[in-house]
Amino acid sequence: MVMRNSPMPGMSRRGRVTVGVLIGIFLLFTLLGWGVNAWTDWLWFEEVDYTQVFTGVLFTRLALFAAVGLAMALVIGVNLWLAYRLRPALRPHSPEQVSLERYRMLLTPRIGAWIAVASLLVGIFAGMSAQSRWSQWMLFRNSQEFGVVDPEFGIDVGFYVFEYPFLRYLLGLAFTAVVLAVIGGLAMHYIFGGVRLQGIGDRMTTAARAHLTSLVAIFVLFKAVAYVLDRRGMLLEYNAEAGIYGAGYADINALLPAKEILAYISIVVAIAIVVFSNAVMRNLVWPGISLALLGVSAVAIGGIYPWAVQTFEVNPSLRDKESEFIERGITATREAFGLDISEQSAYPATNLTPPASLATDTAVVPNIRLLDPQLVSETYTQLQQVRGFYDFGTKLDIDRYTIDDQTQDYVVGMREINYGELTEQQSNWINRHTVFTHGYGMVGAPANQVVCGGQPYFVSGFLGDQAQEQCSSSTEEIPVEQPRIYFGEQMDGTDYAIVGSPGDTNVEFDRPTSSGGEQYYTYSGSGGVEVGSFSRKLLYAIKEQETNFLLSEAVNENSKLLYIRNPRDRVEKVAPFLTLDGDPYPAVVDGRIQWIVDGYTTSATYPYSERVNLQAETADELTGQGTFALARENVNYLRNSVKATVDAYDGTVRLYEFDENDPVLKAWNAAFGGDLVIPKAETPQSLQAHFRYPADLFKVQRNLLARYHVTNPAEFFSGQDFWEVPNVPDAPDSEVKQPPYYLMTQWPEQDEPRFQLTSAVTPAGRQNLAGLISGSYVDGQPQLQVLELPDQTAVSGPVQVHQRMTNNAAIRQQLNLLTSNQAQVQYGNLLSLPFANGMLYVEPVYVKSNQTNAYPLLQRVLLSYGDGGSYVVLANSVQDGIRQLIEQAEEGAPPPPAEGEEGEEGEGEEPGGTPTPTPPTDPGLITPELQAAAAEVSAAIDEARAAQAAGDFQRYGEALARLDAAMTAFQAAQQAAGIGGAAAPPPAADPGADPSPTG
């Protein structure tokens, strides 16, 4: 008896064992890694008391994986099994069938196993895709009503935001299942002879035809459902002709009915496919014709007809036809992004002369901010660093505090551990993770005050008993009960800390002492995961891939592990459904330092609302320089619904409701048990006092208001009144947008000074000032205020103002004196302040030496009033500048000449542009007082040059003050001697000489 060879050679027993062992090892490590991550995540969520988030997301993902994976596997498995059962008993002989026989011999003995494997693989991939849709399912299941209906169908917006995305996913899943079933069924029918390409007779058996045409009919029925959903989805698409989102005239009057007709045609075609292929003609000719007619109808009714309406009816009168739909887009966008709360008012800006009231003002001028959070970060680091591993980051933050019944803004920074600055000795595992565990103190300084040659006047964050310098407050004006910082912005995912020690031994470096020693500390907070047991040590040794968890005595029975220490990362893990603002900031609340993180709820399916990219809309000069870039997320609905806090000492995370009317937040809260967020009414007043208008939300709203402040459809269509955000004033060619800035100030129509985020805007394509936008909180509610300047205004915008101020001839001479090959001038925030029906501009001027470890010092303040060029001064302080502006106005001074209008440097001028006083040639006019004054001026100039060359800017500031006084004395001596003609305006004195609140 001759035995036939198997179509495929069998694997040896050793080979099967080897493969089994390799698969087992792979599964072991995969499951071990997943299990360790899941267990440690659970412990972390248990520590922060948000286990409902962990279990809610985990169980939802598992349920979706199982449900969708099983459903997809059943669909594929049933169709493969059906195709196998419908195979013909006899197959005509042909070379094709002979070649397929080997595959039939391979599959037939274990056909059930092969079908199960194929179905299982498809189910796994489908389940993996489905589990990533956990957020869509949660919103679908917990959908809420917005109380607002779309303008076309009258359906509540909640359908689009909560239900539409998941229905679209389910429809796509259904299409995928049918297509895979058709492909799998066709392959099975072909292998087992139900479908043939060669031989006599029909190419397809009756059973195979019935099976496959039924699947095609189901696909067409799903297409009918897609047409119905497409009618709703039209309200989300971009209308290129009108330049706005949402269905336009041609869409509503041509494409919308076309979609409905195509839905009915699809149902008829589905029935025709089943009937003609199985009951009447019993072939594929008429079903094919039916599908072709559906395709032709889709092109003619869904393509050509709407195109004709658009081309011949709409485009000739585009503005009139699209007016109604432009108005829909304006209304929806303003509602979806909270622009409907904005209050627009006209601001004449007709006063071009500095008013005398500037000198007596108590609301705007005293609160002018001189410290730039981005520039003075280096100053904070150099003056308050104390140790090389402390760092304040690349940008500081601004908040307001009430001290001695006076509320003003402060520039604050956290003295954190920067693990990248540890020395090689300090970077070993013990030191990095058990000794250098925390920073110390929140350093603050009034934003409107400088001392000691341009330094900030520090009022908080001192290192305990460290002796205070004369340039700082003698007491902690912002007292903190617990100044230690275990959770901060400088800590990334690898910077975990192991705290807690046995007995009374303190091993954590706390701070240096005034005697030159060091103080140590032991963490006593409630935060952290206990890692004292062997099982926990083993668990985290695997997670961190670090054997020291098991071997080091530093990990003891009292040890806790602090990880995920960045405040933004902690909130993101606790509330994964929130989009977080890129600029968390610290605040002292009830004696503890709290990080405040603004959280946004978003959607991309609000009908007729404009869709924007968050990363593109929020990018400006500060992005990546102390602020986080947002993800590339396209949204058309945005709400600041949550204010999250993270305790800087123990890491406690709290989510406070801020927008009580946001349906998206209500849906998420319901999805996680109903108590995920703390109701707004329970937010402590001490915390609310430090809430500020979030920067990223403001940027999006500002950019949209640049267009959507126009509410008339015809004017919106023309686009003539659109605005844009100006570039950075001191680098306009960089194409980087000017960031908004926080100020404590008072605008027109505001009752009192308030802490607000402000920005200037210019007309699209031009640089003059078009308006000002402000975001603030009034009684705990957000408020947007827009001051719109007249179209014919000649007031300069930020870029023009900076250029006109710095190019002024007299000012340029003084700036040249500040600049040399030893130092560079840096400009702070250019503040645009509406005052007395005019515009007051203020721009701090810093000087930074080119030497190592140098830091910027405030040396001058540029001020301008009116159109940005008529009245310009460079002063040593705000008060001095205000005085000079008023004097110019009283004297009726003409606009100062721009640089270059005065020609070459005159005789008697120093190369830097500073005029040297020239004694009179008549000996009878030379008095002893005049000679002494001239000598003092020369000595002061020599001292300024020496200080500049040495890079000593405190000494340099004192020298400038001396020079200013000497020039004043020289001019007085000239007048006493009866000599006319004063020298050109001398450089002003040191801005830090006067420690008054305005510098």
Side-chain angles (χ1 to χ4, degrees):
M1 179 177 177
V2 179
M3 297 185 63
R4 299 177 60 183
N5 292 330
S6 173
M8 292 185 66
M11 183 179 295
S12 66
R13 180 179 179 183
R14 177 178 297 179
R16 289 195 297 270
V17 170
T18 302
V19 171
V21 170
L22 292 176
I23 294 175
I25 293 175
F26 174 77
L27 292 176
L28 174 64
F29 280 98
T30 301
L31 295 176
L32 178 63
W34 183 87
V36 166
N37 287 332
W39 189 2
T40 54
D41 274 355
W42 166 262
L43 293 175
W44 187 88
F45 277 100
E46 188 177 41
E47 174 220 334
V48 296
D49 198 24
Y50 282 95
T51 53
Q52 71 269 39
V53 175
F54 176 82
T55 55
V57 173
L58 178 62
F59 291 158
T60 300
R61 297 178 76 160
L62 290 175
L64 286 174
F65 177 85
V68 173
L70 181 61
M72 184 68 78
L74 284 175
V75 169
I76 302 302
V78 167
N79 279 278
L80 290 178
W81 176 83
L82 187 61
Y84 174 74
R85 289 299 301 267
L86 295 177
R87 69 191 186 282
L90 297 174
R91 293 172 290 275
H93 182 75
S94 69
E96 178 187 31
Q97 296 303 313
V98 172
S99 63
L100 291 174
E101 184 63 27
R102 68 173 66 185
Y103 299 105
R104 288 193 283 265
M105 292 179 63
L106 173 66
L107 296 176
T108 302
R110 296 184 178 84
I111 189 64
W114 285 111
I115 291 176
V117 169
S119 303
L120 182 63
L121 288 175
V122 173
I124 288 175
F125 283 108
M128 292 295 293
S129 172
Q131 60 87 28
S132 65
R133 305 280 180 154
W134 63 270
S135 59
Q136 289 184 357
W137 164 251
M138 280 188 159
L139 290 178
F140 178 85
R141 186 181 179 188
N142 298 278
S143 63
Q144 309 281 320
E145 289 190 355
F146 270 68
V148 178
V149 298
D150 77 76
E152 182 60 34
F153 303 106
I155 299 175
D156 190 271
V157 171
F159 166 80
Y160 298 90
V161 173
F162 300 115
E163 300 173 19
Y164 179 81
F166 194 71
L167 291 177
R168 269 293 181 190
Y169 167 70
L170 289 180
L171 183 61
L173 192 67
F175 276 125
T176 302
V178 173
V179 169
L180 291 177
V182 169
I183 294 174
L186 183 63
M188 189 69 78
H189 282 300
Y190 177 71
I191 291 174
F192 287 93
V195 175
R196 299 184 294 274
L197 301 178
Q198 299 177 2
I200 59 175
D202 292 337
R203 293 291 186 265
M204 185 178 297
T205 64
T206 302
R209 183 171 61 247
H211 180 207
L212 296 176
T213 54
S214 297
L215 289 175
V216 173
I218 292 173
F219 181 90
V220 176
L221 286 176
F222 283 143
K223 188 62 179 175
V225 176
Y227 282 129
V228 174
L229 276 183
D230 285 346
R231 287 165 52 84
R232 306 291 187 265
M234 287 168 55
L235 307 190
L236 307 173
E237 296 175 357
Y238 182 64
N239 182 351
E241 287 74 17
I244 204 165
Y245 278 80
Y249 182 91
D251 297 323
I252 297 299
N253 294 280
L255 187 57
L256 189 65
K259 295 283 187 181
E260 184 176 3
I261 294 172
L262 288 171
Y264 288 120
I265 292 177
S266 297
I267 295 174
V268 173
V269 168
I271 296 173
I273 289 174
V274 174
V275 172
F276 282 115
S277 61
N278 298 290
V280 181
M281 306 298 295
R282 297 192 177 220
N283 59 44
L284 300 179
V285 175
W286 285 103
I289 293 175
S290 300
L291 286 174
L293 289 176
L294 176 60
V296 172
S297 301
V299 173
I301 302 176
I304 297 177
Y305 174 58
W307 171 82
V309 171
Q310 181 69 45
T311 303
F312 301 110
E313 183 178 356
V314 178
N315 288 347
S317 54
L318 188 60
R319 186 187 65 181
D320 296 333
K321 293 293 185 181
E322 297 288 3
S323 177
E324 175 189 353
F325 308 101
I326 292 175
E327 185 174 8
R328 291 181 179 183
I330 294 173
T331 302
T333 300
R334 289 176 64 88
E335 291 175 350
F337 288 95
L339 307 183
D340 52 344
I341 67 171
S342 62
E343 299 177 359
Q344 293 183 222
S345 57
Y347 186 70
T350 53
N351 183 16
L352 304 181
T353 304
S357 59
L358 279 170
T360 59
D361 174 70
T362 59
V364 177
V365 175
N367 292 311
I368 290 176
R369 176 163 61 80
L370 298 177
L371 299 185
D372 187 316
Q374 184 180 13
L375 293 181
V376 299
S377 172
E378 296 179 73
T379 308
Y380 273 54
T381 298
Q382 292 300 321
L383 297 179
Q384 291 290 322
Q385 185 181 34
V386 184
R387 291 289 188 271
F389 48 76
Y390 284 137
D391 193 9
F392 288 89
T394 55
K395 184 189 75 67
L396 305 179
D397 293 292
I398 300 179
D399 196 6
R400 69 281 195 200
Y401 291 88
T402 301
I403 299 175
D404 296 332
D405 297 326
Q406 180 180 0
T407 301
Q408 65 182 83
D409 46 0
Y410 287 77
V411 175
V412 297
M414 302 281 269
R415 189 187 287 111
E416 298 184 41
I417 290 282
N418 184 341
Y419 288 95
E421 296 298 325
L422 294 176
T423 65
E424 184 177 355
Q425 175 63 29
Q426 294 169 340
S427 296
N428 63 59
W429 188 86
I430 293 292
N431 285 331
R432 186 181 184 91
H433 297 291
T434 68
V435 176
F436 299 105
T437 58
H438 63 276
Y440 194 97
M442 188 189 78
V443 178
N448 60 354
Q449 182 177 354
V450 292
V451 294
C452 299
Q455 298 179 13
Y457 178 67
F458 298 111
V459 300
S460 69
F462 306 121
L463 292 173
D465 58 355
Q466 183 182 9
Q468 303 303 314
E469 301 177 0
Q470 60 178 353
C471 301
S472 304
S473 171
S474 59
T475 59
E476 287 272 358
E477 296 186 13
I478 306 177
V480 179
E481 296 176 3
Q482 182 50 266
R484 295 169 181 86
I485 305 165
Y486 284 87
F487 298 86
E489 288 184 295
Q490 306 298 319
M491 303 170 186
D492 60 29
T494 62
D495 296 328
Y496 60 86
I498 301 173
V499 296
S501 61
D504 298 329
T505 304
N506 296 325
V507 298
E508 301 174 48
F509 176 82
D510 196 38
R511 64 183 188 272
T513 62
S514 57
S515 60
E518 296 176 343
Q519 181 171 313
Y520 289 81
Y521 178 77
T522 297
Y523 176 79
S524 60
S526 59
V529 177
E530 295 181 356
V531 290
S533 66
F534 176 79
S535 60
R536 294 284 178 87
K537 294 178 183 179
L538 178 62
L539 177 68
Y540 282 96
I542 297 174
K543 175 181 175 58
E544 300 294 341
Q545 300 180 13
E546 178 57 65
T547 58
N548 279 313
F549 277 93
L550 294 171
L551 303 178
S552 176
E553 295 181 358
V555 185
N556 55 80
E557 64 274 9
N558 296 325
S559 292
K560 287 184 175 182
L561 180 66
L562 308 179
Y563 60 106
I564 309 180
R565 300 168 67 193
N566 186 292
R568 197 168 181 269
D569 294 342
R570 289 179 78 82
V571 176
E572 188 173 34
K573 196 169 182 68
V574 162
F577 53 87
L578 292 177
T579 298
L580 301 182
D581 190 88
D583 189 18
Y585 62 99
V588 177
V589 181
D590 297 328
R592 296 182 71 92
I593 301 175
Q594 302 283 347
W595 289 98
I596 300 178
V597 185
D598 287 283
Y600 307 121
T601 50
T602 63
S603 175
T605 52
Y606 195 104
Y608 275 101
S609 176
E610 175 159 339
R611 188 174 295 121
V612 300
N613 183 278
L614 285 182
Q615 185 178 93
E617 295 296 320
T618 58
D620 58 25
E621 183 187 23
L622 298 181
T623 302
Q625 303 295 322
T627 63
F628 297 91
L630 299 191
R632 292 183 177 275
E633 180 182 4
N634 294 319
V635 304
N636 65 1
Y637 174 86
L638 183 66
R639 284 291 186 275
N640 178 210
S641 298
V642 172
K643 300 286 189 179
T645 63
V646 178
D647 191 288
Y649 181 70
D650 60 24
T652 299
V653 180
R654 292 186 177 90
L655 305 176
Y656 292 95
E657 177 188 45
F658 188 72
D659 190 334
E660 300 171 289
N661 302 315
D662 179 29
V664 180
L665 180 62
K666 292 179 180 179
W668 282 118
N669 197 37
F672 291 109
D675 59 353
L676 181 67
V677 297
I678 301 172
K680 185 173 184 178
E682 299 179 18
T683 306
Q685 288 295 324
S686 57
L687 176 61
Q688 291 188 42
H690 292 281
F691 287 165
R692 67 184 194 184
Y693 207 95
D696 286 333
L697 172 65
F698 180 81
K699 293 175 190 177
V700 173
Q701 292 177 323
R702 173 198 61 184
N703 295 351
L704 287 171
L705 277 172
R707 296 176 61 206
Y708 288 92
H709 73 280
V710 180
T711 55
N712 182 283
E715 295 176 1
F716 189 96
F717 180 82
S718 68
Q720 295 181 6
D721 293 329
F722 287 173
W723 301 334
E724 65 183 10
V725 180
N727 292 336
V728 179
D730 57 343
D733 295 334
S734 65
E735 299 299 326
V736 177
K737 298 301 180 183
Q738 182 187 31
Y741 37 83
Y742 289 100
L743 292 174
M744 175 68 72
T745 190
Q746 182 175 345
W747 275 21
E749 302 182 11
Q750 294 180 357
D751 298 331
E752 59 183 359
R754 68 175 66 158
F755 190 68
Q756 50 196 312
L757 187 58
T758 64
S759 179
V761 289
T762 61
R766 291 185 291 160
Q767 292 187 348
N768 58 289
L769 189 65
L772 300 166
I773 303 175
S774 163
S776 60
Y777 291 140
V778 179
D779 297 327
Q781 298 299 323
Q783 180 176 0
L784 280 172
Q785 184 173 353
V786 181
L787 299 182
E788 185 173 359
L789 274 65
D791 292 339
Q792 65 275 16
T793 181
V795 176
S796 300
V799 172
Q800 291 177 324
V801 168
H802 175 80
Q803 292 175 345
R804 296 183 72 173
M805 289 194 300
T806 56
N807 289 333
N808 177 280
I811 290 176
R812 172 53 58 186
Q813 291 173 357
Q814 299 180 56
L815 291 176
N816 287 341
L817 182 62
L818 297 175
T819 309
S820 69
N821 58 0
Q822 298 290 331
Q824 56 182 313
V825 169
Q826 297 179 342
Y827 297 98
N829 293 131
L830 175 57
L831 309 181
S832 304
L833 304 171
F835 188 91
N837 287 331
M839 290 300 303
L840 173 65
Y841 296 96
V842 182
E843 187 172 23
V845 179
Y846 292 80
V847 175
K848 179 185 176 183
S849 167
N850 292 330
Q851 295 179 351
T852 305
N853 296 327
Y855 51 87
L857 291 172
L858 182 67
Q859 295 297 302
R860 293 291 184 273
V861 183
L862 279 166
L863 294 96
S864 174
Y865 191 89
D867 61 3
S870 296
Y871 298 93
V872 181
V873 297
L874 179 66
N876 77 315
S877 68
V878 172
Q879 293 114 323
D880 184 39
I882 294 296
R883 176 184 57 79
Q884 293 184 43
L885 286 176
I886 295 174
E887 288 177 356
Q888 287 184 8
E890 292 175 347
E891 295 170 1
E899 185 180 29
E901 294 180 6
E902 293 185 336
E904 300 291 334
E905 292 186 76
E907 182 181 357
E909 285 191 8
E910 291 297 315
T914 302
T916 302
T918 305
T921 57
D922 185 354
L925 296 178
I926 301 177
T927 64
E929 291 79 7
L930 189 59
Q931 288 181 323
E936 175 62 18
V937 169
S938 298
I941 291 175
D942 292 340
E943 172 65 10
R945 287 174 172 171
Q948 186 180 38
D952 187 342
F953 281 90
Q954 182 170 348
R955 176 187 170 192
Y956 182 61
E958 295 171 353
L960 289 179
R962 177 184 175 187
L963 177 59
D964 186 29
M967 290 293 294
T968 302
F970 178 78
Q971 291 173 355
Q974 279 185 315
Q975 294 174 357
I979 302 172
D990 176 17
D994 179 9
S996 61
T998 55

